[in-house]
Amino acid sequence: MQTDHYFIIWNHGLKYIEQILDIIREHSKIKIQRIVKRKIDNLDKFINHIYKLDKASYTHIHDKSQYLKKLGNEIYIIFVKDINTEYKYKNEHKYSYNTTYLKWYIRLLFNPKTIEQEINITEELIINGIQSAKNWPSFLTHHHIIHSSDIEEETQLVKDYFNLNKMSFNLSGNNYFGVE
């Protein structure tokens, strides 16, 4: 099964954009479809919109908004196709394994740290992060530089928010790096 997903690189992750794109491109089951750059005028409204289908607590969403407001309003949205979607469940929460795996790997690499410390990123560490935030290394913050869709319906929410439904999302030519 193929499904459409996205990654959002928040303002504090923009300095890693080239490395993040390389990581995504190297994943054999994820193909970049299009990349757009946007400025978010109302971050609270945007975050509430993209979490509309998520069961995250109001406090979690509010705290995320407050932190991100301090950083700036520029983001990159990387639309991708998961060409071999495997949905898994964490409790009752459904998520695409491939995009979630990449998201946690990128967070482990680039999320802000409370102290400079090397991190040995293993398969086990990534899987543990996916399963529970309690398994997160203590020096790594939860000020995530990247967000992703868990299910395809969340991707449609982002397309709706930015009125991108009429845009072509395919791999024809070299069009996918067009910044709108």
Side-chain angles (χ1 to χ4, degrees):
M1 166 176 42
Q2 292 187 12
T3 54
D4 294 320
H5 291 274
Y6 70 84
F7 295 99
I8 292 175
I9 310 302
W10 300 111
N11 195 276
H12 61 304
L14 297 183
K15 61 186 169 189
Y16 305 113
I17 189 70
E18 289 182 29
Q19 294 154 286
I20 291 169
L21 289 171
D22 286 343
I23 291 166
I24 294 170
R25 285 184 182 116
E26 288 173 10
H27 194 288
S28 63
K29 296 176 183 164
I30 301 292
K31 299 298 175 205
I32 295 174
Q33 301 294 293
R34 189 165 191 104
I35 300 168
V36 294
K37 183 178 179 181
R38 289 289 188 261
K39 289 194 177 191
I40 308 297
D41 293 330
N42 184 331
L43 203 54
D44 288 319
K45 180 180 171 187
F46 177 66
I47 289 174
N48 284 330
H49 187 80
I50 66 174
Y51 276 92
K52 191 182 289 189
L53 300 176
D54 199 314
K55 295 185 176 37
S57 71
Y58 170 79
T59 303
H60 173 76
I61 294 170
H62 176 75
D63 291 348
K64 183 178 294 288
S65 295
Q66 296 311 306
Y67 175 76
L68 292 173
K69 279 191 226 179
K70 299 174 189 174
L71 304 173
N73 65 346
E74 194 171 272
I75 65 170
Y76 274 91
I77 309 165
I78 305 163
F79 290 98
V80 299
K81 183 157 301 278
D82 184 342
I83 61 172
N84 190 17
T85 306
E86 178 185 352
Y87 281 116
K88 294 195 174 193
Y89 288 87
K90 182 174 108 177
N91 300 323
E92 294 180 20
H93 182 76
K94 181 179 177 181
Y95 65 92
S96 162
Y97 179 76
N98 292 324
T99 55
T100 302
Y101 182 93
L102 276 175
K103 172 178 65 179
W104 283 96
Y105 176 70
I106 292 166
R107 287 175 174 178
L108 285 165
L109 281 174
F110 302 120
N111 265 21
K113 298 174 183 171
T114 56
I115 58 171
E116 277 308 309
Q117 183 169 335
E118 286 293 316
I119 184 167
N120 181 23
I121 301 175
T122 62
E123 187 83 11
E124 180 181 7
L125 186 58
I126 296 167
I127 302 303
N128 284 341
I130 291 171
Q131 293 173 351
S132 173
K134 294 175 187 171
N135 299 322
W136 197 253
S138 60
F139 60 88
L140 210 54
T141 73
H142 287 272
H143 298 308
H144 303 312
I145 64 148
I146 189 170
H147 171 73
S148 72
S149 55
D150 291 326
I151 57 175
E152 191 170 36
E153 293 82 359
E154 291 173 342
T155 304
Q156 188 58 49
L157 287 175
V158 171
K159 288 179 182 179
D160 291 345
Y161 188 89
F162 292 109
N163 199 23
L164 300 174
N165 291 309
K166 295 180 182 173
M167 292 177 74
S168 173
F169 287 85
N170 61 50
L171 291 172
S172 62
N174 205 9
N175 196 21
Y176 62 83
F177 199 71
V179 176
E180 304 297 321

